[in-house]
Amino acid sequence: MSRIFYSKPSYSPVSPQPHSRHHLIIADASGAARAAKLQAACAGPNTVLLIAPADARLPEAELREPRELADRLSALIAQLPAGTSCYLFGRESFIWPAAIRLQDLGTARSQIHVERCGPMVRDVLCIHCKTRMHDVTDTLVCCDGCDLLLWNYDHFSRRHGAYMGFQVNAEQADDTPVAEALSS
Amino acid sequence: MTQTRHRVRVSAVARLGPSIREIHLEPLEGDHLPAFSPGSHVVMELPLGEHVLRNAYSLTSSPFERSRYAIAVRRQPDSRGGSRWIHDELVPGRQLRIEAPNNYFPIRAPADGAPLLLIAGGIGITPFMSLLRARRPDSGPMSLHYAFRDRVDTAYLAELKRLLGSDLHTYESTAGERLDPASLLAAQHLGTQVAVCGPAAMIEAVRAKAAALGWPEQRVLYERFSAPAGGTPFRVRLQRSGRSIAVSSEETLLEALERAQVPVRSLCRAGVCGECRTDLLGGEAEHQDLFLSDQEKTAQCAVMPCVSRACAGGELLLDL
């Protein structure tokens, strides 16, 4: 596959940033374990925002619904000190839109640290009908909106937190590759 | 690179304090001067006797005002003649040449509604004026911390009070008031952009405190305010042409090269933009710029002739 269109993020383990005056840790259910580990390693004040049900490993976490996240972040930004580091753990469909939201509020990219957690799944956006499929596990997916068989392409939108899916057998309907489980 | 030059006429000279003048410039041709963004400067040609001094001045007028520019100039006691000429010789009606504006200090909030913290020292207030004079009621939160020696000889105080109200904080050093960067920066919230313009020591203090408080580098914008100073005379040798040129105490290395008609590309004349970077083949430079990396400065492999000179008693060999 051509590198030119290769926009799949790569990740390395996130660690507490020195000199930070505050650590803002945000996780979904699949990132809770990593969030708990990072919080334990953080010296100094921190805030944990869990966009998931309560988790015993994060007893002091503030629990929020996904739809509350954007507003909660703007309120937090207005209270936390400028030297805050932000850490995001979870599915790509969660961490990247949250990172974009933080940047839209003025947080610098260099203050935001993301790590993908959980099962190897992707959200896929159908480029033909704009339907979004959640937690796709294979290289092929049938679109919920237009029934086309889509190639789960390594072209990632950080703003949408989703990969681009396009019709795999457009030229010849019976020429269908075999679906494989996503490996990375 | 050569900037487009514009002919302008001095339309007014206003007294902002015993040693500060605001100069208004209007176009000689057409109704409009080039557009610019807050924080921009222009390079103005000052005809001092037989040689022309080219100094950079921040534009203090609103970018929405296109029919004239304003700059403000403090009389510098150790001036190479530029500020003295402006204060003593420049009168309305005088024609001058300026280069189109450039901006190496683009002051803006990183996001809609994100706070902007402005810190000015003395005449370092000038680049902020174009931003503040164009401020609209719906623009995001903004505060100005303005440190100066004494209130009598300080530019724009009354106007700033009108523009900013309680968002203006002043520090008069002769009255014992001190601006403390550490406590100021510690009180700022995530997403804040700080922009500082003033003496080198003030900028260094703000940058160091910000780093210690975990601020990301890109949230600290700075512009050093200093007239391009002269210094100890030295000689420069040019490898390719074999020439040797004397740099007097009254001029910069760039000015000496220009006087000798050695072509060197330049833009900001303040050690910021990197345009005049020249390979250094021999000798030790006293680096004054903000462009070269620390490694490059230590390696003595390049020099910015607009602000840097030879180390005392030395000679430079340039790849020119």
Side-chain angles (χ1 to χ4, degrees):
Chain A
M1 194 162 295
S2 170
R3 293 285 300 176
I4 298 169
F5 302 109
Y6 192 84
S7 60
K8 192 159 70 82
S10 59
Y11 303 91
S12 43
V14 162
S15 53
Q17 298 298 302
H19 307 299
S20 294
R21 294 232 300 146
H22 197 96
H23 304 275
L24 172 62
I25 304 164
I26 307 169
D28 68 4
S30 60
R34 278 291 291 128
K37 231 175 146 176
L38 185 101
Q39 190 197 20
C42 279
N46 58 72
T47 301
V48 182
L49 210 53
L50 191 56
I51 314 302
D55 190 302
R57 293 165 294 189
L58 292 163
E60 287 160 28
E62 176 184 328
L63 305 179
R64 291 283 167 177
E65 296 288 324
R67 62 183 159 76
E68 296 175 313
L69 180 61
D71 286 345
R72 186 62 191 124
L73 287 182
S74 39
L76 269 175
I77 294 275
Q79 293 164 3
L80 296 178
T84 297
S85 290
C86 308
Y87 312 87
L88 299 161
F89 297 101
R91 297 183 183 194
E92 284 182 313
S93 56
F94 169 76
I95 55 178
W96 286 105
I100 296 279
R101 175 68 185 159
L102 284 169
Q103 288 179 76
D104 287 348
L105 293 166
T107 313
R109 179 66 189 87
S110 63
Q111 288 176 286
I112 304 170
H113 309 273
V114 299
E115 190 178 316
R116 188 182 66 185
C117 304
M120 188 54 62
V121 294
R122 296 176 172 184
D123 276 20
V124 174
L125 265 180
C126 173
I127 63 155
H128 307 285
C129 75
K130 311 287 190 285
T131 299
R132 185 180 185 117
M133 268 79 49
H134 298 283
D135 295 346
V136 175
T137 55
D138 293 341
T139 52
L140 296 182
V141 60
C142 188
C143 178
D144 291 343
C146 62
D147 256 353
L148 293 175
L149 187 61
L150 305 178
W151 175 246
N152 185 347
Y153 189 44
D154 280 354
H155 186 74
F156 184 68
S157 159
R158 284 158 173 75
R159 191 160 284 277
H160 290 295
Y163 288 82
M164 183 171 90
F166 64 90
Q167 188 180 6
V168 71
N169 53 1
E171 302 297 324
Q172 214 177 324
D174 58 356
D175 179 20
T176 307
V178 179
E180 292 170 24
L182 291 168
S183 57
S184 64
Chain B
M1 189 156 122
T2 307
Q3 287 290 100
T4 318
R5 289 206 171 84
H6 296 268
R7 296 194 331 132
V8 293
R9 179 194 297 112
V10 175
S11 56
V13 177
R15 186 179 185 274
L16 300 181
S19 60
I20 310 165
R21 299 284 179 275
E22 187 175 76
I23 315 293
H24 296 181
L25 307 167
E26 59 182 26
L28 268 183
E29 297 109 17
D31 302 326
H32 288 85
L33 287 160
F36 67 96
S37 49
S40 296
H41 67 268
V42 288
V43 170
M44 197 156 89
E45 295 183 359
L46 309 177
L48 304 193
E50 70 261 38
H51 81 284
V52 174
L53 199 60
R54 298 168 78 227
N55 281 359
Y57 298 98
S58 293
L59 291 170
T60 60
S61 44
S62 160
F64 295 124
E65 196 176 13
R66 296 282 304 281
S67 59
R68 57 158 206 166
Y69 288 159
I71 61 167
V73 182
R74 171 181 282 280
R75 182 193 284 272
Q76 306 287 353
D78 52 354
S79 158
R80 295 172 308 137
S83 73
R84 199 184 321 126
W85 185 84
I86 285 175
H87 276 256
D88 297 342
E89 308 282 336
L90 198 56
V91 290
R94 178 82 196 218
Q95 293 182 16
L96 292 167
R97 287 207 301 182
I98 59 171
E99 291 178 0
N102 256 309
N103 197 344
Y104 298 107
F105 190 54
I107 315 154
R108 56 175 168 254
D112 281 350
L116 201 46
L117 173 70
L118 312 175
I119 303 176
I123 196 67
I125 188 65
T126 52
F128 297 123
M129 291 310 295
S130 57
L131 177 84
L132 296 169
R133 282 172 160 171
R135 191 186 184 205
R136 289 191 275 218
D138 62 346
S139 55
M142 198 183 284
S143 63
L144 171 66
H145 293 259
Y146 188 9
F148 44 81
R149 192 178 310 275
D150 75 275
R151 162 170 313 275
V152 177
D153 201 12
T154 292
Y156 301 120
L157 268 180
E159 184 179 350
L160 288 168
K161 187 73 201 159
R162 216 165 44 241
L163 288 169
L164 285 162
S166 60
D167 293 327
L168 172 68
H169 307 267
T170 58
Y171 308 83
E172 186 178 22
S173 65
T174 51
E177 297 165 355
R178 286 282 180 277
L179 190 161
D180 174 24
S183 55
L184 184 57
L185 292 171
Q188 303 306 313
H189 295 302
L190 187 53
T192 304
Q193 174 77 48
V194 60
V196 52
C197 182
M202 175 187 235
I203 288 166
E204 280 319 305
V206 169
R207 292 179 68 199
K209 295 296 176 201
L213 290 167
W215 283 61
E217 256 181 47
Q218 61 267 54
R219 289 290 170 269
V220 185
L221 188 70
Y222 57 92
E223 184 164 80
R224 186 172 53 178
F225 189 88
S226 57
T232 317
F234 63 100
R235 288 199 81 79
V236 56
R237 285 192 299 120
L238 309 183
Q239 173 79 16
R240 287 189 236 168
S241 61
R243 296 175 64 186
S244 176
I245 296 162
V247 183
S248 76
S249 62
E250 294 293 301
E251 63 188 347
T252 66
L253 172 53
L254 178 62
E255 286 164 349
L257 293 169
E258 287 173 341
R259 178 172 49 74
Q261 295 183 336
V262 179
V264 179
R265 291 147 52 110
S266 74
L267 271 176
C268 75
R269 310 181 84 84
V272 181
C273 76
E275 193 70 21
C276 68
R277 182 201 155 104
T278 303
D279 285 340
L280 183 59
L281 303 175
E284 290 211 343
E286 191 176 25
H287 297 287
Q288 298 289 336
D289 64 281
L290 300 168
F291 178 80
L292 295 174
S293 68
D294 289 343
Q295 291 97 310
E296 288 173 309
K297 287 179 184 176
T298 311
Q300 295 284 4
C301 61
V303 66
M304 308 301 300
C306 65
V307 289
S308 299
R309 309 177 72 82
C311 285
E315 183 184 77
L316 298 181
L317 178 62
L318 300 181
D319 187 20
L320 288 172

